Amino acid sequence: MELTLDGDVVRAGGEARERFYDSRGYGRARNGDLDLAPVEAAHLLSRGDIERIDGMDFRAFLTSAAVSEVAFLVYKDLRDRGFYLSPAREGWVDDPTGADFVVYPRGKGPWDGAVAYRVRVVGERDTVDAGALGECVLAVVDEESEVTYLETDRPDIGGTSDAVIPATEGDLLAERVLCWDPPAALYESAFYGQRLDDDGAVQLSLVEAAYLAREGLLSVDGGAERVVERGRAVEGERFDRRLAVYATLRDRGVAPKTGFKFGADFRTYADVTSADDLGHSELLVRVLPADHAFAPRDLALDVRLAHGVRKRMAFALVDEAGDIDWIAVERLTP
């Protein structure tokens, strides 16, 4: 069987089409012949299904510039797990998400039109633009050639935590606001702040206070703008991003609380009826600028921590206009 490397395509004849495409989903049929992507050809070489390409055995081919070893490791791992998959490339399998591979459900192939996963491949020391996530599985290859799969999507975040509260007054301190005589519902039903003592005083974080002041539910000397200015003085431009996310969550019926102990900006409760009868929070939320680039190691750390405390990891990507793109990430075993 003669196979030749032609640019970034490995050309094979009709015998290869019958043997590899028709029965096992490798490559792309072309006028009765078969075209293989280099990563597919490398896998066939590694299995011993073909011996050489332009005189190159597996060792020579993998160490050439023709194929990425990181892509090969992911391709091999998915094949070993029983999947057929195709490289996502122009004229081959077009994919609008920027994926590297389109993976088909087990038992199906490129001829069936069904897709299980769209996979992007990165090494552990690469960076990943946050905006490229949300509609794909990120396959991260570490320095020992093990593959970790992180599933990303765009969650529809909402809840029923929408208790009505009367307006109250508070004093702005260095990094919080104290409400000395708040309505009981402020903490007990709506889950704002923390009780200062048993006498009923409630302390609010700056982000909580800024939101309530803007909603006309909290009176502070200097008004909402003074609280926002204090927030910016404490944490810079990050405060505006956190306030935008906090406000969006509250407006969607979700009660956010600090996520500091988990290394996040917020933990969230979707269905609060009483602060004294809370279930587990559902999400950990990190607030990031829209142009943030992730290190895969940091993503893996966040996801592992969230999983360990029975929560889902979400990222709120805030642009300069205050618009938010939500990305959720969790471990996947294909």
Side-chain angles (χ1 to χ4, degrees):
M1 185 183 300
E2 294 291 332
L3 288 87
T4 59
L5 181 61
D6 181 11
D8 63 351
V9 177
V10 175
R11 309 286 187 188
E15 179 186 351
R17 172 179 173 166
E18 294 176 5
R19 184 176 172 187
F20 301 130
Y21 176 79
D22 294 344
S23 63
R24 293 155 62 187
Y26 286 92
R28 177 187 63 170
R30 177 183 56 84
N31 298 327
D33 293 331
L34 179 68
D35 288 345
L36 295 165
V39 69
E40 296 174 302
H43 188 247
L44 291 170
L45 282 169
S46 73
R47 289 173 46 87
D49 291 328
I50 57 178
E51 294 182 357
R52 295 183 182 275
I53 299 170
D54 281 346
M56 292 182 286
D57 61 9
F58 173 61
R59 177 177 177 178
F61 193 70
L62 189 63
T63 56
S64 74
V67 62
S68 160
E69 73 273 15
V70 174
F72 168 76
L73 290 165
V74 173
Y75 186 92
K76 179 181 184 302
D77 184 71
L78 289 167
R79 277 280 181 175
D80 289 348
R81 293 173 184 265
F83 292 100
Y84 290 174
L85 62 154
S86 297
R89 50 192 287 179
E90 185 177 356
W92 205 276
V93 176
D94 293 329
D95 184 87
T97 69
D100 294 296
F101 296 118
V102 172
V103 182
Y104 309 108
R106 285 189 176 89
K108 297 187 180 296
W111 45 79
D112 291 305
V115 175
Y117 309 110
R118 304 178 189 277
V119 176
R120 290 194 63 201
V121 177
V122 295
E124 69 165 275
R125 296 181 181 85
D126 295 332
T127 57
V128 183
D129 289 340
L133 302 178
E135 298 176 348
C136 68
V137 172
L138 194 66
V140 184
V141 182
D142 67 23
E143 65 183 4
E144 294 184 350
S145 299
E146 293 188 5
V147 184
T148 296
Y149 295 95
L150 301 174
E151 186 170 27
T152 75
D153 62 22
R154 300 180 185 276
D156 184 13
I157 296 174
T160 62
S161 303
D162 57 356
V164 176
I165 59 172
T168 189
E169 297 179 351
D171 291 336
L172 177 61
L173 306 183
E175 294 190 11
R176 65 207 75 240
V177 168
L178 272 176
C179 300
W180 297 102
D181 188 23
L186 181 68
Y187 174 78
E188 293 172 6
S189 300
F191 203 28
Y192 286 97
Q194 292 290 336
R195 289 193 181 101
L196 180 63
D197 51 38
D198 294 335
D199 293 332
V202 169
Q203 55 184 350
L204 301 170
S205 70
L206 290 175
V207 73
E208 290 175 309
Y211 172 75
L212 287 169
R214 284 183 171 180
E215 292 293 303
L217 296 171
L218 175 66
S219 296
V220 178
D221 284 345
E225 189 55 36
R226 184 175 175 221
V227 181
V228 171
E229 288 175 358
R230 181 63 55 81
R232 291 169 179 162
V234 169
E235 55 181 313
E237 63 179 15
R238 180 169 171 267
F239 182 79
D240 289 282
R241 290 195 294 268
R242 293 181 67 239
L243 179 56
V245 172
Y246 185 93
T248 297
L249 289 169
R250 279 288 181 181
D251 293 347
R252 292 185 180 186
V254 176
K257 302 297 286 184
T258 180
F260 174 78
K261 67 176 67 176
F262 305 110
D265 288 284
F266 302 113
R267 67 189 195 277
T268 66
Y269 298 84
D271 304 295
V272 173
T273 56
S274 168
D276 295 326
D277 186 25
L278 290 172
H280 284 286
S281 58
E282 301 88 9
L283 296 175
L284 293 182
V285 178
R286 284 189 63 201
V287 179
L288 300 167
D291 60 357
H292 180 76
F294 286 104
R297 185 189 304 272
D298 293 339
L299 267 178
L301 179 63
D302 286 339
V303 171
R304 175 69 73 179
L305 189 152
H307 178 77
V309 292
R310 293 184 293 169
K311 306 181 197 312
R312 195 177 187 210
M313 193 70 219
F315 300 93
L317 310 175
V318 187
D319 66 18
E320 293 182 357
D323 295 326
I324 303 168
D325 190 12
W326 296 92
I327 304 293
V329 185
E330 55 191 325
R331 284 286 297 269
L332 170 72
T333 301

